[in-house]
Amino acid sequence: MFCEKKDIFAQRNQIRRFRSNAMRHVATIFLSLFACITLQAQPFAITWLHHPSTASGDQVWFRTEATLDGDVADATLSVCTTGRVDIYVNERNVTSDVLIPYRENAEPTAVTTDFDVARFLRNGPNTIAVWYAPLDMQTTDRQVAVMLCGRYNSGKRFTIGSDDGWMCHTANRRTTATGEAVDATAYTMKWNSDDIDIATWLPAATLKTDETSEHRRIYDPYMAEKVNKIRPQERIDIDGNTLTYDFGTTFRGWVRVTMRGRKRGERLTIGNLTYTCRAQTDEQAFHKFTIGHQRKVVIKSTEKILPENIFSAEAIEIVPFFRYFCFY
């Protein structure tokens, strides 16, 4: 009997400790969320990069070469943007998240996110590349701001900012009023690699500002977006030169279409995505920076298109989640 009471008391103590720890954890989350959504009150200087002559909806590639003098112990890449971005160091995507940064209502606030990039850096030249996409059809000189700060194994520190030799090029993808438009014929090289035609790139323009209430910085934990599930279509309907792919249930995310044997310059509409073919053996069309809810997607083409021309059509389900570490 005594042993049974002792066990009961031990279980109760464990429950109390669990509840106490849970409450502290919840409090930490809410405090961190408060910090995440609290706008910066104190002004601070920031140097923005922008393409000198973008049109409405243009997406932009930015890149620079950072030469390091030794092996890196730790390094943080801070990226601020008024739109959405993809970020690469030496051709490697620094995060598995999508639609960076998380924007609940697609508000054009400047948001800064920090990335741990030490594992991507090497002694010698390093390519840092950022793909910027505006929200909707906005045009702004405040496109991206980038800062790389780190420490060598020797203890010496280094800093590379937005005013250190950045180049830019309009991307082969545009943000439209309803979705995105991709011209796969527009640029054939790997924009985020060393294999570029530098003669076609322009020096990025800069804008120095003092950011105050319009800036937000990400803190732990915070909301992010990730690919949750990929599934094929359940049914295909054919109506003349129109293919309709039905995925069975409504999902929030993208449709990815892999096609074969298309003509160069052929133009497809895939829902609210417009895609101009490059005429590779296999090529894929998909959204990158815009998102919507859908169950079916309608595919039309300027050329005759049949189900056998579509190798696969996939629903890519994207969901928000709590990420507990700002550093990836």
Side-chain angles (χ1 to χ4, degrees), residues 149-184:
C149 299
R151 180 174 55 88
Y152 296 115
N153 287 341
S154 64
K156 180 182 176 182
R157 296 192 172 275
F158 61 87
T159 301
I160 297 167
S162 293
D163 51 357
D164 290 329
W166 285 81
M167 305 292 287
C168 64
H169 193 292
T170 51
N172 62 353
R173 182 183 292 260
R174 297 182 64 255
T175 302
T176 66
T178 57
E180 295 180 67
V182 183
D183 185 355

Side-chain angles (χ1 to χ4, degrees), residues 151-276:
R151 180 174 55 88
Y152 296 115
N153 287 341
S154 64
K156 180 182 176 182
R157 296 192 172 275
F158 61 87
T159 301
I160 297 167
S162 293
D163 51 357
D164 290 329
W166 285 81
M167 305 292 287
C168 64
H169 193 292
T170 51
N172 62 353
R173 182 183 292 260
R174 297 182 64 255
T175 302
T176 66
T178 57
E180 295 180 67
V182 183
D183 185 355
T185 68
Y187 193 85
T188 59
M189 295 183 175
K190 295 179 68 175
W191 69 276
N192 59 348
S193 73
D194 295 331
D195 183 21
I196 64 166
D197 181 4
I198 196 64
T200 65
W201 289 64
L202 297 174
T206 59
L207 174 68
K208 294 181 183 284
T209 64
D210 288 333
E211 298 299 312
T212 53
S213 60
E214 296 183 347
H215 178 263
R216 179 165 60 90
R217 194 176 193 101
I218 298 294
Y219 295 98
D220 292 333
Y222 68 98
M223 294 296 293
E225 303 263 20
K226 68 177 180 180
V227 174
N228 183 58
K229 185 185 299 183
I230 300 176
R231 53 188 171 89
Q233 82 282 349
E234 292 190 0
R235 189 176 73 250
I236 306 173
D237 296 323
I238 306 172
D239 183 9
N241 200 37
T242 300
L243 305 178
T244 301
Y245 287 79
D246 190 334
F247 296 95
T249 57
T250 301
F251 67 97
R252 176 180 176 270
W254 304 324
V255 171
R256 180 173 61 193
V257 174
T258 304
M259 64 202 87
R260 289 178 175 171
R262 309 317 299 159
K263 294 181 179 180
R264 183 177 179 84
E266 177 184 352
R267 187 175 180 181
L268 287 85
T269 56
I270 304 169
N272 58 3
L273 173 71
T274 302
Y275 184 85
T276 303

Side-chain angles (χ1 to χ4, degrees), residues 15 28 59 68 117 122 147 196 227 229 268 291 296:
I15 292 172
T28 300
Q59 299 179 15
L68 301 180
V117 297
R122 60 196 177 210
M147 181 70 71
I196 64 166
V227 174
K229 185 185 299 183
L268 287 85
I291 192 170
K296 298 179 180 181

